[in-house]
Amino acid sequence: QQLLQISQSMGIHAAKSDLAITHGAQQGISLALRALTQPGDIVAIESPCYFGSLLLLESLGLQVLEIPSNDHYGIDVEELKKSIQKWPVKAIIVTPNFTNPSGARMPLEHRKKLLSYSEDIPIIEDDVFGGLAYAQPLPSLKVLDENDSVIYVSSLSKTLDSRVRIGWVISHKHQASISKRLISESMGGHNLIQSAVADFLSTGKYKQHLRRAQKLYQENPLQFCKLLRQALEIGRAHV
């Protein structure tokens, strides 16, 4: 219920039956891939990307189609359009908010183009960093999706604590298949940690925590630039 409220606060309209709790976002992506693909299928992914995604795709016997990713705009949507016209892509994995490792954030126009270009190809949206944005929020692909082609995956591991391996998946079209695989794989959740996190989320302190984290992420680059300028000035004085 608490994770559903977090999702709804981001504009994602879903019911409890549309949400599955996973052991982190990585399991959520794995479940989505297994619901969408078979070994040997082609999956498009931005490059460079998080190395764990490549390990996951390899373990599932899937072929990787690398799409160049820009440091400022994220995945090259025009190149993606050309590639999916050439190859039988079964799924697309993308991180619109602060992709790892470049930190790129996809502009709204590119998000709309991505949804348009992908047509009926399912998109797995990895949004583990979205809650940390301190700039003007942008709607997730799931919010913009009008064709139910986006499977939304997020986690508390980046926003709350890396030791909290609680993620969630939201899908409508593929939720039954994802939930069936989740049940057969884990036979129930990690109830103790989930109960503890649910108690914390119910206090309302999670929003306060996020605001502090967002402020810290906003101040850190400014502080870094300040210290770098000071170091360069000292270096020039010594020369």
Side-chain angles (χ1 to χ4, degrees), residues 7 13 16 28 30 32 34-35 44 56 79 81 115 121 125-127 129 164 175 178-179 181 185 200 216 224:
S7 302
H13 300 291
K16 283 193 288 186
S30 174
R34 280 179 282 163
L56 174 60
E79 188 62 34
K81 181 181 181 180
L115 290 168
I121 300 174
E125 179 181 17
D126 182 359
D127 194 33
F129 300 109
V164 178
Q175 197 67 20
I178 290 172
S179 297
R181 285 172 169 79
E185 184 173 288
F200 172 74
L216 182 65
F224 171 79

Side-chain angles (χ1 to χ4, degrees), residues 94-143:
V94 66
T95 305
N97 289 319
F98 317 115
T99 183
N100 186 354
S102 72
R105 193 182 192 204
M106 186 183 297
L108 179 58
E109 180 185 355
H110 288 227
R111 297 178 188 224
K112 292 179 178 179
K113 285 184 177 180
L114 173 59
L115 290 168
S116 174
Y117 293 166
S118 62
E119 296 179 351
D120 60 343
I121 300 174
I123 299 173
I124 301 173
E125 179 181 17
D126 182 359
D127 194 33
V128 294
F129 300 109
L132 298 174
Y134 53 81
Q136 182 68 25
L138 292 173
S140 68
L141 295 177
K142 187 64 177 174
V143 171

Side-chain angles (χ1 to χ4, degrees), residues 47 68-76 99 102 104:
S47 180
S69 180
N70 183 283
D71 289 346
H72 297 287
Y73 304 119
I75 192 169
D76 187 330
T99 183
S102 72

Side-chain angles (χ1 to χ4, degrees), residues 41-206:
D41 284 345
I42 298 175
V43 176
I45 191 166
E46 51 199 324
S47 180
C49 68
Y50 173 53
F51 73 93
S53 298
L54 296 176
L55 293 175
L56 174 60
L57 290 164
E58 181 182 26
S59 71
L60 295 176
L62 298 169
Q63 299 186 71
V64 175
L65 178 60
E66 295 183 74
I67 309 298
S69 180
N70 183 283
D71 289 346
H72 297 287
Y73 304 119
I75 192 169
D76 187 330
V77 292
E78 301 299 334
E79 188 62 34
L80 174 65
K81 181 181 181 180
K82 296 176 185 177
S83 298
I84 60 182
Q85 290 174 345
K86 183 178 180 181
W87 301 95
V89 175
K90 296 298 183 180
I92 302 167
I93 303 177
V94 66
T95 305
N97 289 319
F98 317 115
T99 183
N100 186 354
S102 72
R105 193 182 192 204
M106 186 183 297
L108 179 58
E109 180 185 355
H110 288 227
R111 297 178 188 224
K112 292 179 178 179
K113 285 184 177 180
L114 173 59
L115 290 168
S116 174
Y117 293 166
S118 62
E119 296 179 351
D120 60 343
I121 300 174
I123 299 173
I124 301 173
E125 179 181 17
D126 182 359
D127 194 33
V128 294
F129 300 109
L132 298 174
Y134 53 81
Q136 182 68 25
L138 292 173
S140 68
L141 295 177
K142 187 64 177 174
V143 171
L144 297 171
D145 179 27
E146 297 179 351
N147 300 316
D148 196 17
S149 62
V150 176
I151 297 177
Y152 180 84
V153 180
S154 192
S155 169
L156 295 175
S157 301
K158 303 299 186 293
T159 56
L160 185 57
D161 192 298
S162 60
R163 295 164 295 182
V164 178
R165 304 303 301 168
I166 294 179
W168 67 99
V169 181
I170 295 178
S171 173
H172 301 91
K173 185 187 301 183
H174 305 285
Q175 197 67 20
S177 179
I178 290 172
S179 297
K180 181 179 179 180
R181 285 172 169 79
L182 177 61
I183 292 172
S184 65
E185 184 173 288
S186 60
M187 296 304 293
H190 303 278
N191 295 332
L192 181 60
I193 186 65
Q194 286 188 21
S195 296
V197 171
D199 286 344
F200 172 74
L201 294 176
S202 66
T203 65
K205 293 182 179 180
Y206 179 67

Side-chain angles (χ1 to χ4, degrees), residues 6-50:
I6 291 174
S7 302
Q8 290 174 342
S9 70
M10 300 173 65
I12 299 174
H13 300 291
K16 283 193 288 186
S17 59
D18 299 322
L19 187 148
I21 300 176
T22 61
H23 185 62
Q26 189 78 341
Q27 186 188 35
I29 295 172
S30 174
L31 291 167
L33 284 171
R34 280 179 282 163
L36 298 172
T37 65
Q38 299 291 331
D41 284 345
I42 298 175
V43 176
I45 191 166
E46 51 199 324
S47 180
C49 68
Y50 173 53

